[in-house]
Amino acid sequence: MANLEIQDETHAALHLGRSRVVLDISSAYAGSFDPTKSQEAPDRQLQLEWGSDCRNNLIYLESSGELVYFMAAVVVLHDVNGGTQRHYTEHTDDVHCIAVHPDRNTLATGQSSGHRKVQGKAHIRVWSADTLQTLHVIGEQDFQRAVCCVAFSSYDKGGLLCAVDEANDHHLSVWDWKAEKRLCQAKASKEPIMDVEFNPQEPNAIVSCGRGQISFWTIDDARNLEAKRGTFKQRDMWPVFPCFKQSMNGGSACSAPNSNPKNWRYPLDKEAPKYILGLAFSPKGFLVSGDSSGNILIWDKGRNKITRELSGAHSDAVFSLTFLRDGRLVSGGRAGRLVLWDDSCQRKLMDTEVPMAYGAVRCIVQGKGERLFLETIKNCVLEGSFSDGFSPISVGHRDELWGLAVDASGRFLTCGDDRLVALRDPETHKTLWEAQVKQGAHCCSMSPDGNLAIVGSQTGHYIVLDAANSGAVLQTKKISREQIEDIKFSPDGQHVALASRNNKIYIYRVSSNNGQLDLVAKCQGHTSFVTHIDWSADGTLLRSNSGDYELLYWKMPDGQREFDDSVTRDAKWQTGTCCLSFEVAGIWRDANDGTDVNAVCVDAGGTLCAVGDDFGWVNLYSYPCPVAAPDRRQGGGHSSHVTNVAFTPDGKRLISCGGRDMAVMQWLLV
C-alpha cells in the first residue's frame, strides 16, 4: 500500500513513489487518527445498467428482439422496444469479435490478451443469450494476441467454430467447441484478416478475406486445412456489369447485362484489390465480397473464381454486406451510401444516404419486417428503413474519452478527443443533443441550472454551449497554449474555474444573459500542471491538485493563496473530485505511483467515494476513507483506463468513462 503515516496531531504524510504529500487531518480525526485501522466496504454495490458504444459488431436475436453488440469487455443485449439492457460480463479484456450459432441463442465472443494475470489471455467464450451463462471457454493457451474473427458453421447445424488469431501469421483454427478441442490450424496470412465465414451449403468449407487476398479453405479427411487463393484474373467469358449513379428519385443505377455477348465489356486481367473488407453468402449459395475500391465481386458456388463484378457499386470502400431474409443484398459504403440489390445481385432497387455525422455503415442486420439496424464507424447504432430513413438509438464516441459532467437534474455530458459533445438522459438512455466542436475536447462542466455547458479543449480553448436547447456554441476563446484539464462552476453558478496544463487556474464571471465569460482572476502557485479542482460549498474557497502531487487552496473569487489551516482543514466541498486529500488518502494502494488513479467523485450524501483507475476498475469506497487499504467494491467492464466517474445527484447511479475503450457505462447502486 502507499505509505500513510502520522506526522503530528494535525498532519499526515502520504508517500506516492518518491513523493511525499502532507495532508491536513480533519478535526474529527485529530488526536485519534490511526492509519492502520480497517474500514469495511460500503453496503451498496455496482450493477451495470446501460452502456453506450458499439464497435464493428451487431447481431439481432429474433426470439427476444434484442440487439447484441460489445463495448470494451462487456457484451450488451439491448432490448430496443423495451428500452432495457442485459450484459454479459465474463470477459477480462477488450472483446474483438462475435458470432451467433444457427440456434440463434448461443453466442461466441473472442477477446484480446490483457494486463490481468488471471484469465488475461486471449480466448473465446461460448455462452447462452437466454441465461448469460458461460458454456465453454476455448483457447486460453492457444491464442497469442487477440481473437479477431470468429464464426460458427451452419451446414452441420453449428458443430464447428472457426477463429482467427491476430498473431503475426494470423492463424486460422477450427474447433469442436463443445469438446473445447482444436481440430486443425493453419497460417492464414501475414496481412490482417478482416472477416471469416463458413460456407452454409458445403461441409467443411471456409472463406477468409483481408488485405489483398481472399482464401477458400477446406478441411480434408485427415483434418488438415488447405487453402486456395481467390483468382482475380478474368475468366474465359465473364463480363463486368458497369454500375451508374442513380438519382434519389428513381432510375436504374446498374445496367443489366445485355443478352448479346458481343455487347459485353471485358476487363483486362484484374489485380487483387488493396483490401477485401467483408463477405456474405447468398441464400442461393453464391458468395459476394466488397473491396476497398467500391466494387462488389460475385464468386462461383464453391469455387475461387469470380463470376461477375459490380464495378463501382459504391464510390469508395464497401464496408458492409448482408443478405436479407428474402435474398436481397444490402451494401454499405464508406461515404454513407446504403444500396439495396435484387436477389441475383444484378440490379439496384433502392439507395439512401446515412447522415455522415454518424459515420459510414460498418455492419447491417435485419430486424422485424423491413426494419434495419446499422452500426457505424463512429460507434453509433441507427434504426430505420430505406423508405423512412435512419435515426440513432445509441451514440458513442470514437476516440479517447475523458470529459464527464452531471447537472442538478441528473443529465450527464460527455466529450472526447473525437470532438463530440453529447448530453444524455440516464432515465430514458437517450441522447438529448450532440454537438461537434472544432477542437479535441478533454473536460467539461455544467452550470447548476443546467442551461450552460463549458468544454475545455486540448488546444487551450474553452467552448460555451447552450445546454438547455441544442448544444449550440455561444462562445469560444483560447486562454492557454496547453490543454484545459478541469472545469468547475461555483455553487451559485456565477463563477467558473478552468484549470490548465500551464500550471494556472483561471477564474471567470459568468454572464447571466448570454453565457459570456469575463476573466476576474488567475491562481498562480503550482509548479506543475493542475489536474483537479473543487469549490467549497459556500463558494469562498477552491482546492486544486497538480501533476507533482500538490494540494493547494485558494481564496475565491480573487484567486489568492489560502495558507490558514484552520480555514481549510474542515471546509465542506461542493464536489469531491480531487484525488489528493486527507478524506481519500486510502484510495492510494500498494504500488500506486501517483498516476494510477485518474478520477475520484464523492456522492451528494457524502457517504460514498467512486474511483476510476488505470486497471479498468470502477472502485466504490465508504467515505471518508483516510485509512490505508480500506475494503472496496469493484465494477468490471472497462478494458482500458477509467478516465472519469460521476454520481447522479439522487445517488441512484454512477457514470464512468473509459479512455481507449471509448465506452460510457451507467451503473446502478444497489
Side-chain angles (χ1 to χ4, degrees):
M1 63 180 214
N3 234 344
L4 183 63
E5 60 184 23
I6 298 174
Q7 183 169 302
D8 56 45
E9 285 193 358
T10 57
H11 297 91
L14 176 66
H15 295 270
L16 295 174
R18 297 181 179 181
S19 300
R20 182 172 179 271
V21 185
V22 177
L23 305 172
D24 295 336
I25 298 176
S26 300
S27 297
Y29 290 87
S32 61
F33 176 57
D34 180 3
T36 64
K37 186 178 180 179
S38 62
Q39 179 172 312
E40 294 183 355
D43 294 333
R44 303 175 79 180
Q45 301 187 49
L46 294 166
Q47 177 182 304
L48 186 59
E49 178 189 20
W50 195 264
S52 298
D53 188 19
C54 180
R55 285 182 286 160
N56 201 20
N57 67 104
L58 204 58
I59 288 171
Y60 180 75
L61 300 179
E62 293 81 358
S63 59
S64 63
E66 292 173 307
L67 282 176
V68 186
Y69 52 86
F70 52 80
M71 60 169 188
V74 176
V75 185
V76 178
L77 295 91
H78 181 174
D79 183 346
V80 178
N81 293 326
T84 59
Q85 288 184 352
R86 299 185 296 139
H87 304 93
Y88 180 74
T89 58
E90 296 301 311
H91 281 285
T92 57
D93 214 276
D94 260 325
V95 181
H96 279 229
C97 55
I98 187 168
V100 62
H101 190 274
D103 66 13
R104 307 301 293 178
N105 178 63
T106 305
L107 296 162
T109 44
Q111 75 162 63
S112 64
S113 58
H115 50 256
R116 300 180 193 170
K117 293 181 180 180
V118 180
Q119 290 189 333
K121 297 182 178 180
H123 64 274
I124 300 168
R125 306 185 82 85
V126 181
W127 49 282
S128 166
D130 283 343
T131 64
L132 301 182
Q133 291 184 342
T134 301
L135 305 176
H136 300 278
V137 179
I138 297 170
E140 282 186 302
Q141 306 302 320
D142 297 276
F143 298 108
Q144 296 181 32
R145 295 179 186 169
V147 182
C148 61
C149 298
V150 65
F152 281 104
S153 60
S154 54
Y155 182 86
D156 62 353
K157 299 182 180 180
L160 300 178
L161 185 69
C162 177
V164 177
D165 186 359
E166 209 168 56
N168 289 337
D169 291 319
H170 293 91
H171 290 94
L172 185 147
S173 55
V174 180
W175 299 75
D176 178 343
W177 60 271
K178 290 183 179 179
E180 300 179 8
K181 180 181 178 181
R182 188 177 67 194
L183 303 179
C184 49
Q185 177 176 284
K187 295 179 180 179
S189 173
K190 292 283 187 182
E191 303 293 347
I193 301 295
M194 312 301 292
D195 198 2
V196 63
E197 298 287 346
F198 275 92
N199 189 323
Q201 298 191 5
E202 293 188 16
N204 301 325
I206 303 166
V207 183
S208 65
C209 68
R211 184 172 182 177
Q213 52 87 22
I214 180 170
S215 297
F216 294 78
W217 302 83
T218 55
I219 307 171
D220 64 19
D221 293 338
R223 290 185 176 176
N224 295 315
L225 273 169
E226 297 181 354
K228 291 182 179 180
R229 286 295 179 95
T231 300
F232 293 94
K233 294 183 179 181
Q234 77 174 70
R235 298 187 57 193
D236 295 337
M237 291 286 286
W238 64 269
V240 171
F241 300 154
C243 293
F244 305 105
K245 293 183 179 179
Q246 177 191 30
S247 64
M248 294 300 291
N249 57 5
S252 176
C254 183
S255 63
N258 191 297
S259 59
N260 184 356
K262 293 181 180 180
N263 295 329
W264 289 358
R265 178 169 62 87
Y266 298 98
L268 298 175
D269 287 354
K270 180 177 178 64
E271 294 182 355
K274 186 174 181 179
Y275 278 95
I276 293 184
L277 299 169
L279 305 167
F281 276 96
S282 163
K284 293 184 176 181
F286 60 83
L287 173 71
V288 299
S289 63
D291 68 32
S292 53
S293 300
N295 306 313
I296 296 176
L297 306 180
I298 293 89
W299 300 80
D300 255 356
K301 292 182 182 180
R303 298 186 65 188
N304 63 329
K305 297 184 182 297
I306 298 170
T307 303
R308 289 183 285 112
E309 175 187 3
L310 299 176
S311 180
H314 288 265
S315 60
D316 45 24
V318 180
F319 275 6
S320 51
L321 295 164
T322 192
F323 280 97
L324 304 182
R325 286 185 285 271
D326 62 7
R328 293 176 297 168
L329 173 70
V330 182
S331 61
R334 183 177 181 180
R337 184 164 165 257
L338 206 66
V339 181
L340 179 65
W341 307 85
D342 70 359
D343 60 3
S344 297
C345 300
Q346 294 189 22
R347 185 166 57 92
K348 191 176 79 168
L349 304 176
M350 298 178 69
D351 68 0
T352 188
E353 298 289 335
V354 176
M356 284 309 295
Y358 302 116
V361 177
R362 187 164 49 186
C363 187
I364 307 165
V365 298
Q366 185 177 12
K368 291 184 178 180
E370 296 294 309
R371 193 182 191 191
L372 297 178
F373 295 100
L374 314 177
E375 183 258 330
T376 75
I377 62 172
K378 291 187 177 180
N379 299 331
C380 300
V381 180
L382 310 180
E383 177 186 9
S385 65
F386 277 92
S387 56
D388 298 332
F390 293 88
S391 58
I393 59 175
S394 175
V395 176
H397 287 271
R398 62 183 179 92
D399 210 335
E400 189 153 344
L401 176 64
W402 282 83
L404 173 65
V406 180
D407 73 3
S409 69
R411 303 177 307 171
F412 64 94
L413 193 73
T414 60
C415 64
D417 292 4
D418 58 358
R419 305 181 181 183
L420 176 68
V421 184
L423 183 66
R424 309 168 193 266
D425 186 327
E427 295 285 349
T428 64
H429 314 302
K430 291 183 178 179
T431 301
L432 302 176
W433 56 255
E434 61 210 55
Q436 200 75 28
V437 295
K438 294 182 178 180
Q439 297 85 21
H442 182 74
C443 59
C444 56
S445 184
M446 296 190 70
S447 61
D449 61 10
N451 290 330
L452 294 179
I454 301 181
V455 172
S457 80
Q458 297 171 333
T459 54
H461 292 79
Y462 70 72
I463 305 118
V464 184
L465 299 99
D466 180 1
N469 296 301
S470 60
V473 175
L474 303 176
Q475 183 188 11
T476 300
K477 187 175 181 179
K478 186 176 180 69
I479 62 172
S480 170
R481 292 183 179 180
E482 299 190 56
Q483 179 169 275
I484 307 299
E485 288 287 335
D486 197 9
I487 304 174
K488 292 290 193 310
F489 276 91
S490 63
D492 60 10
Q494 294 183 16
H495 294 86
V496 65
L498 294 89
S500 171
R501 285 190 76 88
N502 67 2
N503 307 355
K504 299 175 184 178
I505 305 170
Y506 299 83
I507 311 300
Y508 287 87
R509 181 180 294 108
V510 183
S511 170
S512 58
N513 295 325
N514 54 13
Q516 297 296 300
L517 305 186
D518 298 310
L519 183 66
V520 296
K522 293 181 185 179
C523 303
Q524 302 185 72
H526 275 293
T527 55
S528 183
F529 60 93
V530 185
T531 59
H532 302 88
I533 52 177
D534 291 310
W535 287 83
S536 63
D538 61 7
T540 62
L541 291 173
L542 192 77
R543 67 178 177 181
S544 55
N545 290 160
S546 64
D548 57 356
Y549 318 122
E550 289 181 312
L551 171 60
L552 302 184
Y553 298 91
W554 313 87
K555 299 175 183 178
M556 288 292 109
D558 61 15
Q560 299 300 307
R561 284 281 301 275
E562 177 58 83
F563 294 97
D564 189 347
D565 291 355
S566 65
V567 174
T568 61
R569 177 173 286 108
D570 297 319
K572 305 299 181 184
W573 300 98
Q574 178 71 11
T575 55
T577 63
C578 282
C579 300
L580 291 172
S581 71
F582 172 75
E583 291 78 12
V584 297
I587 68 173
W588 298 96
R589 305 177 78 86
D590 187 23
N592 283 176
D593 62 359
T595 64
D596 297 321
V597 171
N598 299 309
V600 171
C601 186
V602 177
D603 73 331
T607 61
L608 295 173
C609 174
V611 176
D613 65 28
D614 267 355
F615 312 108
W617 293 107
V618 179
N619 304 276
L620 193 64
Y621 294 89
S622 295
Y623 182 83
C625 46
V627 299
D631 288 342
R632 58 185 170 175
R633 308 285 188 185
Q634 288 187 305
H638 285 288
S639 58
S640 175
H641 49 297
V642 180
T643 55
N644 217 330
V645 290
F647 288 98
T648 55
D650 59 11
K652 294 180 180 179
R653 293 178 173 87
L654 177 73
I655 314 299
S656 64
C657 294
R660 292 189 182 91
D661 67 28
M662 298 167 281
V664 180
M665 297 189 185
Q666 183 173 305
W667 307 81
L668 283 174
L669 295 162
V670 297

